[in-house]
Amino acid sequence: MRKWIARAGFTALALALVVVVGLMTWEPFFAYTADAPEKKQYSAEIIRDKFGVPKIYGKTDADVAFGVAIAQAEDDFFTLQDVAAMSRGRYGAIAGEEGAQFDFAYHLLDARGTADRHYDALPADTRALFDAYATGLNQYAAENPDELKLANLFPMNGKDVAAGFALRQPFFFGLSNVIGPLVAGDELRREFGPDIPGFPRAVLPSHDAPGETVDESEQASYRPHPLPAAGDDAGLLGSNAFAVTPEKSGGPTTLISNSHQPLRGGVAWYELTVESEEGWHFTGANFPGSPFPFLGHNRHLGWTNTVNRPDMTDIYELTLDERGTRYELDGEWRDLESKTVTLPVKLGPITLPVRRTVHRSVHGPVIINDKGAFAIRYGAMDSLDQLDAYYRLNKASSLEEWQTQMARMDIPSTNFIYADKAGNIAYVYNAAIPDRPELDEVQANWRGVLPGNRSDLIWEGAVSYEELPKLINPESGWLYNSNNEPFTAAGAGSDLDPADFSPVLGIERKQTNRSRRAWMLLSEADVLDRANLERIKYDVTYERAGYVADLWDAVEALDPAGDADLAEARDLLLSWDFTADSEGPADALALLMIREYMSAEYQNKNDAPDTREFLLEKRTHLMEHFGRIDPPMSELLRLRQGDVDLPLDGGSDTLRASTTWQVDEDGRLSLVHGDSFIQWVEWPVDGGRVFSRSIQPFGAAISRPDSPHYTDQMQLFVDHQLKSVYFWRDDVIANAARRYTVSN
């Protein structure tokens, strides 16, 4: 009997081991795999300057794209693999539950289907670029197998790279703010854009309304993701952009690109210069997973981007039948498309297969929760044309050519600020805003949940380019955007009138502290030369307006009621000089307070932290880690990478942006989002060669701790300094630190 029990126990143990081994090994064998692109020969020269920034040369554009993949893999293959896994719906096998959330979005939005349907219709030279880029990734993966995170992730092809674009782009205009609450069954966030006449919305609660505060301990586990949707911090995506004419600068046409992105991860900027014998010559920055820069300049012109927040998404409540398999449309029942998908979820040494069902109607993706079934439809849905549009913008040589590409309406969102060697400047509120019926055609509340049983509310395509807000060569001589409405962009007498634009478009009516400061400082300056522009760009002052005024009004109204700790913190905060320069005793406490109130405003949240509780929480944090509530802000806010630990200035929503951070074990705030890639471009008025300077927070080799370029730009970044961009080949050769050729 004992032998039988022992055998049974051994059998159970063996079966358990089989299950564990299966869970440790199943995912790569069942994962989607792709064929490598058609075999072609590529060759590129990579020249790196003393900061390791690559300049990639090739005979053809495709040769250059191959070299881009190799260069970026040499510097950050760690992140490139995350992006590759995301483009296959396998990110959960790397990042666990958080990664599986993105994989769910991959299936929900049908990113793979979008690529399958539309990739082959792209122009041949665009597809050649993406196939060459995929070939470069494949080659690096094959030559460096010890760096691989997942089996069977490579080879990739151009269609895989395109699927990553199809997934990531909608999150820049806030699709996560729709998907997240719908999946959770929570209250929907207030949509951007003005109220629709006849459909007034309730006034948002005061910023002192009770709300959920952020547990600082949770932020210590910050992980950079390949999507701009990793928690609430993703909703703080910002940027500043400035363009100045020669007449206003007293010298060159000036373009300042000051993007605010996560400092690490799949939407962190990577600096590069590309040049081919086919006329592609551009310097700027891309995200991991792109064969071309998204912003920067060529010899003729340049542009930069800031996130805008139009109402790009409509939500429809569906009426389902009793079985939940059909929905009503125009009095008829239609089948609800449903598909079960497997999400890999890494949990320690094993990977769990989690089954989920995704749905789709004629409106778009459908999410079913305890409150009902909701379909979503968003701008540029089911399109890959942005891949071609960005490539053509890289090669534009005049304002007319550039606008021709913009007018395609293929890039789903983000403001564009433009400048060129001819002295032109321009601002385009770019967005593939849904071509919704106007109110004289259909009475509908486009800022609320729409009835899903009416086909007349299912719009097709985007509005025309002519309908977008835009300014070209304003009389003021300057343009800017700091994630504000497009109606304050060029100063009094030059700004657009919001009354000229239909509320149905859903253009946001928002200001940021940065926009208030920029508009004021730019308007006050008689000349916008380099010195004045530097002063404006690195400004660290808050205006007592908007959410800042709401917060300070609430602090003034606080009654300590005998609480000595609260009274001490309140009095210190009220002594603040509204600058985040680390010179005042209240700077650190103010820094801790402001961010969540900015977040509530920026993301249209329905509430913000309770001021009393939040102030006490921040006081406790400072006392616990510094033994005082008034430490120098520079001791609290840090730029950290490897062994380098430097003090920072600026705050959330100052023009010198230190937007958000993770809280380290020592209580310091390690910056993870804010000022990132900065590029300052000047075209001399005498027609001389374009000249630019740039900086990154860390260095070119962002995930290579053993590289000298892991941290070598940090001190310059902290000191508000820029380094030379070697755009012209003679300058590149003269300043080359390393020069080599890559080929397959």
Side-chain angles (χ1 to χ4, degrees), residues 16-30:
L17 288 173
V18 168
V19 171
V20 170
V21 171
L23 291 174
M24 293 174 65
T25 59
W26 71 273
E27 196 274 339
F29 297 102
F30 288 88

Side-chain angles (χ1 to χ4, degrees), residues 161-428:
V161 182
F165 273 71
L167 173 59
R168 292 201 283 177
Q169 181 62 48
F171 290 89
F172 279 92
F173 56 77
L175 191 61
S176 60
N177 288 341
V178 174
I179 293 178
L182 284 177
V183 169
D186 293 338
E187 179 183 356
L188 290 169
R189 291 185 181 176
R190 186 182 181 92
E191 295 182 10
F192 289 105
D195 289 357
I196 299 297
F199 299 94
R201 292 178 288 182
V203 177
L204 282 175
S206 162
H207 283 120
D208 196 37
E212 182 178 340
T213 60
V214 173
D215 182 354
E216 300 282 13
S217 65
E218 293 179 2
Q219 297 175 46
S221 61
Y222 169 84
R223 175 188 179 88
H225 292 285
L227 279 174
D232 280 348
D233 288 349
L236 306 179
L237 293 174
S239 296
N240 304 317
F242 309 88
V244 183
T245 64
E247 292 80 10
K248 189 65 176 179
S249 75
T253 308
T254 304
L255 175 68
I256 303 173
S257 176
N258 176 208
S259 178
H260 303 162
Q261 285 292 118
L263 307 192
R264 305 175 182 87
V267 286
W269 292 113
Y270 178 74
E271 184 178 5
L272 72 166
T273 298
V274 295
E275 184 174 358
S276 81
E277 295 178 21
E278 294 182 332
W280 186 22
H281 187 192
F282 199 93
T283 187
N286 71 355
F287 294 147
S290 170
F292 40 61
F294 290 127
L295 50 75
H297 70 88
N298 58 34
R299 65 184 67 194
H300 307 287
L301 56 83
W303 72 85
T304 187
N305 302 111
T306 64
V307 170
N308 54 6
R309 296 173 284 176
D311 179 8
M312 292 275 286
T313 305
D314 286 318
I315 305 170
Y316 304 81
E317 185 169 10
L318 303 182
T319 300
L320 299 183
D321 65 9
E322 292 182 358
R323 297 177 59 189
T325 59
R326 296 187 299 169
Y327 62 97
E328 183 185 2
L329 186 66
D330 294 336
E332 299 180 355
W333 292 100
R334 299 198 179 195
D335 290 335
L336 185 68
E337 296 179 31
S338 300
K339 180 174 69 173
T340 301
V341 299
T342 301
L343 308 178
V345 183
K346 183 175 177 60
L347 186 65
I350 65 174
T351 301
L352 300 175
V354 177
R355 304 284 279 176
R356 290 289 183 268
T357 301
V358 293
H359 308 280
R360 198 171 192 87
S361 69
V362 295
H363 311 76
V366 174
I367 297 171
I368 300 176
N369 59 33
D370 292 341
K371 298 179 180 179
F374 300 89
I376 56 177
R377 191 170 186 82
Y378 53 92
M381 186 171 68
D382 194 38
S383 173
L384 289 181
D385 289 334
Q386 60 169 302
L387 279 62
D388 183 64
Y390 272 119
Y391 178 33
R392 306 300 165 190
L393 285 175
N394 268 231
K395 302 182 81 169
S397 61
S398 68
L399 176 58
E400 181 181 8
E401 287 183 20
W402 185 84
Q403 281 211 90
T404 296
Q405 296 304 320
M406 294 298 299
R408 295 168 51 171
M409 302 293 288
D410 287 331
I411 298 175
S413 68
T414 68
N415 297 299
F416 278 72
I417 300 287
Y418 166 100
D420 65 28
K421 68 177 183 180
N424 297 304
I425 63 173
Y427 165 48
V428 177

